[in-house]
């Protein structure tokens, strides 16, 4: 699905008479960007204008392109999702490119936010950038406690530097920059590739084909590893909350509670139920399971939002399956 460039309306006056906040989302056409768009459409404030960038708007690796984007849209707030991302083999083969391109993107965004006096910058990190050898549950204080897994060290160090520079910009220039650490995200507009997608979208596509072809639904591994999954619309809501109300350079983990960690088997069976798949479900134990658990602690989030209700894994998977089936011809797969 091709994404048209973002368009800029003349800066409008808010109902109160003051200028509107202009929130610019980089990487606006991806899983999280689309979720933010969906959330904001039904939760928009009168004094906010939202801009969603895609690659059509310019190359964020290039300083002049980034300068032009900021000059055109004049954002007061930025949610920074854009990054060079890839799977295991891409990360292994292109460590230099994953480090350089992400560092260039992040530096161009941060410097433009400083120069243009952006009120708030919220950047996305990832749990995969944490130390390879660590204790669980992981929390925000442990990010720099050791080297990341060698397979993705180019990407991981570039992302870790966002946290370092958020604090440096706050200390030296008084900038209000922060970052978010999400756990495993899933939902509408995901990449449903069986080979390159993440767990839930891959299982959804695989189950769809098993139902269509009347073949068994085969899951790689035993189904015993545990993971925390966050529905993209929940993450979108919490990201907007961070932009509006969380003001600290220290990162915040956006994750379901530790008690909501689920085995992959539960996820696979929820996918089969949501797809109304009546055939045989097979767990191929010849395939490797991967890491048993990667639990993240959301204590900091709960100290701010103790009563926040996350979408259950069953409801989130049902919504994701329904979206995938309705958009099968055009979705990423």
């Amino acid at each position: 699905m091709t994404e048209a460039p973002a368009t800029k309306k003349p800066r409008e006056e808010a109902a109160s008479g003051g200028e509107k906040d202009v929130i610019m989302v980089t990487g606006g056409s991806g899983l999280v960007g689309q979720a933010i768009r969906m959330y904001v459409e039904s939760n928009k404030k009168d004094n906010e204008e939202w801009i969603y960038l895609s690659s059509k708007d310019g190359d964020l690796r290039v300083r002049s392109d980034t300068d032009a984007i900021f000059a055109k849209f004049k954002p007061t707030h930025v949610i920074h999702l854009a990054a060079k991302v890839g799977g295991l083999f891409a990360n292994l083969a292109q460590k230099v490119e994953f480090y350089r391109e992400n560092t260039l993107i992040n530096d161009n965004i941060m410097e433009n936010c400083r120069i243009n006096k952006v009120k708030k910058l919220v950047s996305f990190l990832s749990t995969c950038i944490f130390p390879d050898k660590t204790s669980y549950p992981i929390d925000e204080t442990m990010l720099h406690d050791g080297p990341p897994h060698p397979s993705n060290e180019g990407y991981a160090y570039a992302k870790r530097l966002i946290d370092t520079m958020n604090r440096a910009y706050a200390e030296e220039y008084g900038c209000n920059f922060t970052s978010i650490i999400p756990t495993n995200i899933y939902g509408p507009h995901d990449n449903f590739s069986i080979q390159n997608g993440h767990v839930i979208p891959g299982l959804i596509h695989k189950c769809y084909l098993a139902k269509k072809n009347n073949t068994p639904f085969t899951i790689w591994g035993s189904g015993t590893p545990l993971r925390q999954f966050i529905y993209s619309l929940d993450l979108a809501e919490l990201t907007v909350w961070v932009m509006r109300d969380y003001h600290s350079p220290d990162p915040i983990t956006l994750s379901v509670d530790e008690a909501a960690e689920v085995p992959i088997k539960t996820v696979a069976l929820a996918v089969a139920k949501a797809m109304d798949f009546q055939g045989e479900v097979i767990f191929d134990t010849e395939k490797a399971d991967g890491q048993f658990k990667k639990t993240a602690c959301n204590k900091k989030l709960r100290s701010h939002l103790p009563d926040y209700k996350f979408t259950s894994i069953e409801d989130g998977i049902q919504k994701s399956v329904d979206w995938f089936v309705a958009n099968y011809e055009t979705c990423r797969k």
Side-chain angles (χ1 to χ4, degrees):
M1 191 166 65
T2 56
E3 210 39 49
T7 52
K8 174 70 176 165
K9 300 173 191 167
R11 183 70 69 84
E12 299 170 28
E13 298 293 305
S16 61
E19 281 204 339
K20 285 194 170 192
D21 287 336
V22 178
I23 302 102
M24 185 172 78
V25 182
T26 73
S29 59
L31 169 64
V32 180
Q34 292 281 10
I36 290 172
R37 187 194 292 260
M38 289 168 72
Y39 172 74
V40 167
E41 278 173 3
S42 53
N43 296 273
K44 195 172 179 181
K45 292 191 172 181
D46 288 342
N47 68 328
E48 291 179 351
E49 178 190 351
W50 289 75
I51 305 285
Y52 301 89
L53 298 183
S54 74
S55 55
K56 296 277 197 306
D57 292 290
D59 187 341
L60 296 176
R61 296 170 298 184
V62 178
R63 180 59 185 265
S64 58
D65 279 25
T66 314
D67 292 350
I69 286 168
F70 274 76
K72 178 181 180 182
F73 295 115
K74 298 179 172 56
T76 58
H77 299 68
V78 174
I79 296 174
H80 177 36
L81 308 174
K84 178 180 174 65
V85 296
L88 172 65
F89 297 109
N91 269 280
L92 273 169
Q94 301 174 40
K95 290 182 185 180
V96 172
E97 287 73 21
F98 276 91
Y99 173 78
R100 290 196 67 244
E101 291 182 30
N102 281 303
T103 301
L104 287 166
I105 291 168
N106 298 336
D107 184 64
N108 288 337
I109 291 292
M110 286 179 148
E111 262 296 88
N112 261 287
C113 285
R114 177 187 72 80
I115 291 164
N116 293 285
K117 296 181 170 54
V118 166
K119 296 175 188 174
K120 182 73 172 281
L121 167 64
V122 180
S123 300
F124 264 56
L125 307 183
S126 164
T127 51
C128 75
I129 73 176
F130 273 82
D132 179 36
K133 294 177 171 59
T134 188
S135 57
Y136 292 93
I138 50 175
D139 68 34
E140 299 86 354
T141 66
M142 300 157 71
L143 186 58
H144 303 282
D145 283 356
H149 193 278
S151 65
N152 75 327
E153 60 188 349
Y155 174 82
Y157 279 118
K159 282 290 195 178
R160 283 187 186 188
L161 281 172
I162 290 176
D163 175 53
T164 304
M165 295 311 296
N166 281 344
R167 285 180 275 111
Y169 272 103
E171 289 166 17
E172 188 173 342
Y173 295 106
C175 295
N176 188 5
F177 295 176
T178 193
S179 59
I180 283 168
I181 305 167
T183 44
N184 301 282
I185 313 159
Y186 72 100
H189 300 280
D190 208 337
N191 178 359
F192 291 86
S193 165
I194 292 170
Q195 295 301 325
N196 302 316
H198 289 122
V199 178
I200 290 180
L203 288 174
I204 288 172
H205 191 179
K206 197 181 266 192
C207 188
Y208 176 89
L209 293 177
K211 182 179 179 180
K212 180 182 173 187
N213 299 325
N214 201 22
T215 55
F217 175 30
T218 304
I219 295 94
W220 290 353
S222 67
T224 54
L226 301 168
R227 295 291 182 269
Q228 288 158 297
F229 294 98
I230 184 168
Y231 184 54
S232 60
L233 272 293
D234 291 352
L235 180 61
E237 180 178 2
L238 292 169
T239 299
V240 174
W241 167 78
V242 167
M243 189 212 52
R244 291 171 178 162
D245 297 313
Y246 174 78
H247 303 300
S248 164
D250 295 323
I252 184 166
T253 300
L254 299 185
S255 169
V256 297
D257 303 316
E258 290 172 51
E261 199 170 36
V262 291
I264 299 301
K265 183 174 185 178
T266 299
V267 172
L269 295 177
V271 167
K273 183 182 177 187
M275 194 72 74
D276 194 25
F277 175 74
Q278 305 292 336
E280 186 182 5
V281 178
I282 297 172
F283 290 88
D284 180 2
T285 53
E286 295 294 309
K287 298 285 196 298
D289 271 338
Q291 198 169 330
F292 178 66
K293 63 190 297 182
K294 301 180 179 181
T295 319
C297 171
N298 70 354
K299 198 172 173 181
K300 183 187 280 192
L301 172 64
R302 283 302 188 196
S303 72
H304 293 278
L305 299 173
D307 301 320
Y308 183 80
K309 297 282 192 295
F310 286 93
T311 301
S312 72
I313 190 76
E314 294 80 10
D315 288 349
I317 285 176
Q318 185 68 64
K319 290 173 181 175
S320 302
V321 164
D322 292 346
W323 186 90
F324 175 74
V325 171
N327 295 275
Y328 181 75
E329 295 303 325
T330 54
C331 70
R332 289 185 294 162
K333 57 185 187 297

